[in-house]
Each structure stands twice: as structure tokens, then as C-alpha cells.
Amino acid sequence: MDITYQHIQETAEFIKAKGIEAPQVGIILGTGLGGLVKHLNIIQEIDYASIPNFPISTVESHKGKLIYGELEGKKVLAMQGRFHYYEGYNMQQITLPVRVMKLLGIQQLLISNAAGAVNLNYKKGTLMLLDDHINLLPENPLTGKNINELGPRFPDMSQPYNKRINELMITAAKKEDVELHKGVYASVPGPNLETRAEYRYIKIIGGDAVGMSTVPEVIVANHMNLPCAAVSVLTDECDPDNLHPVSLQEILDVAAEAEKGLVKLFKSVIKQL
Ligand code: HPA
């Protein structure tokens, strides 16, 4: 399905009519990282399934709810669960929620994801702030007719992750004693994890972490001039010379443990936005 500006407006109007009127910060919660919502003073929740034009998540570990509430004195709109390319949606569907959140008024977008550590100095269970990315997905959310109402045909990507928010993240990590690396995230289509040769390749081209999300959302945020930042929870170490099979359960377990640091970071940054 092709997403038009009218679809985006229609979805935004539906959400507004449910009382979600003035969100300031948008948050996308990645795999195994839904726990931040426990810290929210919840005002309203909407299942994705009831939102017009939203795709329905097919992955059980992704809950699929839009949650509006208060966190650190800010009105936040959190996506508990996101849409992935491997589920079969097109890039415009995957990024529709980011478009809609922008129309609803968010001024910043904070993103989280689970990723594999390709930089072997970065241990599993630690966090990585995205400083840049490499898009290895076979499609781009901006392909097709440009939505001029939202942004330019050829958006700049010289600084895809907002400098000020990243500085706040680094300061918050120091203050909260959370180990936070900085690096380049490579996005792959999945759903399979990578082969040894692919991990080697990702490392050679400059990736520090690899995952199956985030980049489409960041492209669309940049298109709309929406400042964003993203943090990866490193759930496995991708050492091509010593590669062990990883299960989704292991990824979820590590994510659940590392989530505590992520929550501290996001709360501290949101307070200062
Ligand atoms: N590769 C891709 N996606 C991932 C990985 C990985 O090793 N770990 C968690 N998400």
C-alpha cells in the first residue's frame, strides 16, 4: 500500500480524536525494550490494530501499542513495538508512525533497538549511541513521489542524529553511570541473523553494530527536519572467528537486563529536552 499525505493526516486525526493532542517527545521502543512505559503516567493507550492505516505487527515479542503519557514533566508518545521490513511491510508503512507523530506535534524523537555488536570492544549488555548509520536495506522510505508538505526531495544526511540530544545522552550516561559507547549502526533486512562473512563485511565497511530497524525511521525523521537520537542495546557479540548461535530468547534476556540503563538515559534526556 502506498502511503499518501492524506493517509498520514487521517491517522493523525484519528489519534488526536482519542485525546492524544499535544505530545512533545516521540519514543520508539525496540525489541525487548517496552519497560520504559512502566515509568509513564499513562493518559491514553491505543492498540495498533485499531489505528487506521497502521500495519498490524506480526511478531509476538512486539506488543503493538501507542502509549501517551507523562514522563519527567513532558508529554510523550511511545510506540511499544515497531514495524520491521522483514514482516513484509513496505518502507512507507514502516515509517508511517513517525510521520504521524510529527503531525501530532512531537519536537524530538528518541529511538531504541536491539542490535548485535560488530565492534568487539563493545560487550553484550552495554549500550551504543548511534553517531551515524549505513543503510543496507534494499529499499528507502523516500522512494516515490516526494511528500512536499513534509520535506524536501533530497534531504541532507550529514548529521542524521541530533548533536544536542547526543550530547545530553553522553552527559546523562556519565551522570547515571551507564556504559554508553558511540558508533555506526548498519541496518539489514533480516529476519535471519548474519553469517560470519556478513559480520566481517559489516565491520570492514565501518559498522559497529547491526540490526533490523531504525534507519528507515531516522531517514524519515531527517526528511521532516525532526531531531532524533537512537540507542542500541547490544544483545550479542558478532565475532566471525568465534560465532555461537544466538536465540531470540537470549536477545530478549540481554535486552531486558540492559533496559535499566536505557530507561535511566531516556528519562534523564527527556527531562532536559
Ligand atoms: N544482527 C541483526 N540484528 C540483531 C542482531 C544481530 O546480530 N542482534 C540483535 N538484533
Side-chain angles (χ1 to χ4, degrees):
M1 171 177 148
D2 269 352
I3 300 285
T4 63
Y5 189 50
Q6 283 67 38
H7 288 119
I8 300 164
Q9 284 177 311
E10 180 192 19
T11 305
E13 287 307 319
F14 172 89
I15 292 169
K16 225 183 250 178
K18 295 273 181 196
I20 299 178
E21 283 181 333
Q24 296 161 284
V25 183
I27 306 172
I28 302 176
L29 298 168
T31 306
L33 302 170
L36 182 76
V37 299
K38 288 200 279 284
H39 300 257
L40 251 69
N41 220 334
I42 297 177
I43 299 167
Q44 176 67 283
E45 288 187 15
I46 314 177
D47 282 337
Y48 290 166
S50 72
I51 303 176
N53 306 317
F54 259 44
I56 295 157
S57 183
T58 60
V59 181
E60 277 179 29
S61 48
H62 299 90
K63 276 196 181 125
K65 255 193 223 169
L66 204 55
I67 301 171
Y68 181 52
E70 239 168 43
L71 184 66
E72 299 293 341
K74 301 270 174 6
K75 292 271 181 2
V76 305
L77 186 53
M79 288 180 66
Q80 193 172 39
R82 58 148 64 80
F83 304 108
H84 300 85
Y85 185 70
Y86 61 73
E87 294 176 84
Y89 311 119
N90 68 36
M91 287 292 174
Q92 292 172 7
Q93 289 175 298
I94 290 168
T95 53
L96 171 73
V98 178
R99 299 283 200 200
V100 169
M101 287 196 283
K102 165 80 180 178
L103 283 202
L104 289 169
I106 63 163
Q107 283 134 42
Q108 287 99 5
L109 176 66
L110 303 184
I111 300 175
S112 65
N113 62 53
V118 177
N119 182 334
L120 299 176
N121 295 318
Y122 298 176
K123 299 302 168 200
K124 78 172 173 187
T126 63
L127 306 177
M128 188 188 92
L129 179 66
L130 274 63
D131 182 42
D132 209 338
H133 69 230
I134 299 173
N135 186 11
L136 297 176
L137 291 160
E139 284 183 54
N140 185 300
L142 306 181
T143 300
K145 195 168 181 295
N146 184 50
I147 304 177
N148 292 323
E149 292 89 341
L150 296 177
R153 172 74 290 188
F154 300 108
D156 182 66
M157 286 296 263
S158 57
Q159 184 89 55
Y161 300 88
N162 185 263
K163 226 174 164 169
R164 175 172 167 257
I165 308 178
N166 274 9
E167 279 164 10
L168 291 177
M169 289 276 188
I170 291 165
T171 314
K174 281 189 191 131
K175 203 177 85 200
E176 302 284 345
D177 201 20
V178 173
E179 189 174 355
L180 180 68
H181 306 290
K182 198 161 93 171
V184 174
Y185 174 94
S187 61
V188 292
N192 58 281
L193 297 179
E194 290 64 46
T195 65
R196 287 164 295 157
E198 286 165 345
Y199 284 133
R200 263 186 212 108
Y201 162 74
I202 291 162
K203 188 174 185 163
I204 289 167
I205 64 171
D208 294 296
V210 57
M212 304 173 195
S213 66
T214 302
V215 169
E217 296 148 0
V218 171
I219 290 175
V220 160
N222 276 270
H223 178 242
M224 299 185 295
N225 204 18
L226 172 64
C228 66
V231 175
S232 290
V233 170
L234 302 173
T235 54
D236 50 298
E237 291 165 17
C238 310
D239 180 357
D241 299 317
N242 186 25
L243 195 60
H244 308 289
V246 253
S247 66
L248 176 67
Q249 194 53 52
E250 277 177 79
I251 289 177
L252 294 177
D253 290 347
V254 179
E257 192 52 38
E259 184 180 45
K260 294 168 194 151
L262 183 82
V263 167
K264 283 187 196 168
L265 277 191
F266 275 22
K267 281 177 72 171
S268 172
V269 168
I270 287 167
K271 196 174 184 173
Q272 298 173 72
L273 285 175

